[in-house]
Amino acid sequence: MISSGLKALKERFSAHRKKMLRTYYKNAVKPEKGHKYKIKAAAIELTNKCNLRCLQCNYKGGSGENYERNTGLMPVDFFKKALDQLIELGCESILCNADGEATLHPNFLDCLEYASSKKLQIHFNTNGNLWNKNFIEGFLSFYKGSVIFSLDGFKESHARIRVGSNYDRVVNNLELLLKMKGRDGFTNPAVGVAFCNYDQEPEEIEKFVEYWLPKVDVVSLCQVYDSDTKVISRKLNEIDPAKMQRVICRIPWENVEIGWNGDVIPCSSYIVTPEGIIGNLHQHSLKEIWEGDKLRAFRVKHRNYKLDGTKCLFCERWKAWYSMPDKYRGETRIILNGVFKLYYNKHGRRIMLGEEL
């Protein structure tokens, strides 16, 4: 089954992804016994509180009408403990948010600065409503990672989908960040905008890319999922879903997410699903959880395609591994797969993709 799947995938993946795919399959089917996996990327949830009620979010619409988790703030010392344990397990990349708006945490910049002192790739997403000049000055004084502002189209679409967000405020904050970054001669941080492909018209999507790409480093278009992580938005790329053969998801071997309360889950799909919790960092070390029986059993289910009784059964995030050949529009590089479409301008290609142009 795996060999035939690999053969089919080789025919569909772009040439520069084939090496990655072979490594991925080798790791995914490797016996569990005695093997130690590194955490390649993780998310740490500083808070799951949010000031918006977006239609596609866990807070409202998309994944459930009512939010099902207790809300809270991760203590700064606990954030440092979680981050240090991730680094000990080989983690290379950190996303400093999960549910909620990370900048609502009163010590957000302190946590971000601590993470920035480590040899890590650091990223976070923001709805951009809480930024101001003082925040940006502190942010630019140390941050060298990436930040993505959520803007789901122009004013009308943004207001309809990102309920509670002030479009003009977000755009003004983003443009102030870009202005101050340029004024002080900073190459970093990388700055981008994200567009959730909810129900907006294709014409708006194209105009959105055309407007923002000259201003930011990357424009990210992504699909929207329901509570079972099935894609419910319009088709984003040219890949025919009927021709996609399911691949083994690499997340159980490479990723974890740590909630504000210490709960550890393998994937954000399980963030509102108690049965997806594989441990709690207040009770066990991350090493014990990462190498423990729950996650080991979860990997076995994925390796054997026996996903009954899990949210993974209907999940479509695995489509991210169906890549198409990159496209180029002048100096813009467009990376496409079954879930995302990413537009990088020349500056974004240098600082985010490491290209020498």
Side-chain angles (χ1 to χ4, degrees):
M1 178 179 182
I2 290 175
S3 60
S4 63
L6 181 57
K7 181 178 179 181
L9 285 168
K10 283 183 177 180
E11 296 173 355
R12 297 189 181 102
F13 273 73
S14 55
H16 67 282
R17 301 288 204 286
K18 287 183 179 179
K19 182 177 179 181
M20 180 276 295
L21 181 62
R22 287 194 296 269
T23 302
Y24 156 55
Y25 259 84
K26 180 180 178 182
N27 288 339
V29 301
K30 191 177 291 183
E32 290 289 328
K33 187 176 180 180
H35 184 71
K36 308 297 182 185
Y37 299 96
K38 286 186 176 181
I39 297 176
K40 292 193 174 181
I44 302 181
E45 182 183 65
L46 285 165
T47 182
N48 62 339
K49 295 183 178 182
C50 194
N51 50 341
L52 305 186
R53 294 296 181 267
C54 304
L55 297 183
Q56 75 275 25
C57 183
N58 290 324
Y59 269 93
K60 182 180 175 66
S63 296
E65 293 294 330
N66 299 300
Y67 195 60
E68 301 172 2
R69 301 173 64 204
N70 294 327
T71 58
L73 302 168
M74 179 179 285
V76 175
D77 288 345
F78 187 76
F79 171 83
K80 293 178 179 180
K81 172 185 174 181
L83 187 68
D84 291 345
Q85 291 191 38
L86 283 165
I87 293 171
E88 289 174 2
L89 291 171
C91 189
E92 304 166 353
S93 177
I94 295 291
L95 178 67
C96 289
N97 62 272
D99 262 4
E101 170 59 31
T103 61
L104 279 168
H105 196 292
N107 303 111
F108 173 73
L109 288 181
D110 294 330
C111 293
L112 198 63
E113 186 168 13
Y114 181 78
S116 298
S117 70
K118 308 297 181 179
K119 294 181 179 180
L120 289 167
Q121 298 176 15
I122 309 170
H123 320 276
F124 72 97
N125 305 312
T126 179
N127 63 44
N129 283 270
L130 302 176
W131 293 56
N132 55 46
K133 184 178 179 180
N134 289 337
F135 181 93
I136 293 171
E137 286 178 343
F139 174 73
L140 289 175
S141 69
F142 65 85
Y143 190 62
K144 306 301 180 185
S146 69
V147 55
I148 306 296
F149 281 68
S150 297
L151 280 169
D152 292 339
F154 295 107
K155 192 167 187 176
E156 183 178 345
S157 293
H158 182 86
R160 177 174 57 84
I161 295 169
R162 294 203 168 263
V163 179
S165 181
N166 185 315
Y167 176 83
D168 292 330
R169 181 189 299 139
V170 176
V171 170
N172 289 339
N173 288 340
L174 174 53
E175 291 183 341
L176 179 60
L177 169 62
L178 295 170
K179 180 181 178 180
M180 292 175 67
K181 173 186 169 185
R183 178 200 67 190
D184 295 332
F186 290 116
T187 301
N188 291 303
V191 180
V193 293
F195 181 108
C196 286
N197 180 34
Y198 192 67
D199 60 3
Q200 305 91 317
E201 295 296 330
E203 293 79 10
E204 181 175 11
I205 298 176
E206 188 63 30
K207 289 179 181 179
F208 181 87
V209 174
E210 290 176 359
Y211 179 82
W212 282 109
L213 192 57
K215 298 173 177 286
V216 298
D217 300 306
V218 60
V219 176
S220 170
L221 309 180
C222 63
Q223 300 285 39
V224 174
Y225 304 92
D226 65 9
S227 58
D228 290 320
T229 329
K230 289 181 68 68
V231 174
I232 58 174
S233 51
R234 289 173 175 160
K235 182 179 173 183
L236 189 60
N237 292 327
E238 295 83 352
I239 302 175
D240 182 358
K243 295 182 179 179
M244 291 187 185
Q245 179 178 343
R246 182 158 186 159
V247 300
I248 299 174
C249 178
R250 63 192 292 175
I251 287 175
W253 286 268
E254 297 184 354
N255 306 99
V256 291
E257 187 166 304
I258 302 172
W260 70 269
N261 61 352
D263 284 342
V264 180
I265 56 176
C267 170
S268 60
S269 298
Y270 287 89
I271 201 162
V272 293
T273 309
E275 57 267 27
I277 298 171
I278 55 175
N280 186 285
L281 207 54
H282 288 292
Q283 301 168 2
H284 301 281
S285 71
L286 188 58
K287 185 177 188 295
E288 290 172 325
I289 296 169
W290 181 246
E291 297 175 1
D293 292 340
K294 282 190 176 181
L295 189 51
R296 183 178 292 113
F298 189 66
R299 291 180 184 133
V300 170
K301 286 184 177 182
H302 275 268
R303 191 177 63 224
N304 296 331
Y305 287 99
K306 293 182 178 180
L307 301 174
D308 290 344
T310 73
K311 289 195 70 172
C312 305
L313 182 62
F314 300 106
C315 177
E316 294 188 293
R317 289 188 177 180
W318 54 268
K319 292 180 178 179
W321 306 114
Y322 273 83
S323 296
M324 301 170 59
D326 292 350
K327 294 184 177 181
Y328 292 86
R329 187 183 298 171
E331 293 181 326
T332 299
R333 179 177 174 182
I334 307 171
I335 297 178
L336 310 97
N337 61 38
V339 176
F340 290 97
K341 182 180 280 188
L342 303 169
Y343 295 78
Y344 293 90
N345 61 22
K346 184 177 181 180
H347 186 257
R349 290 171 64 185
R350 283 202 304 265
I351 68 171
M352 299 185 78
L353 302 179
E355 296 184 35
E356 296 182 4
L357 301 173

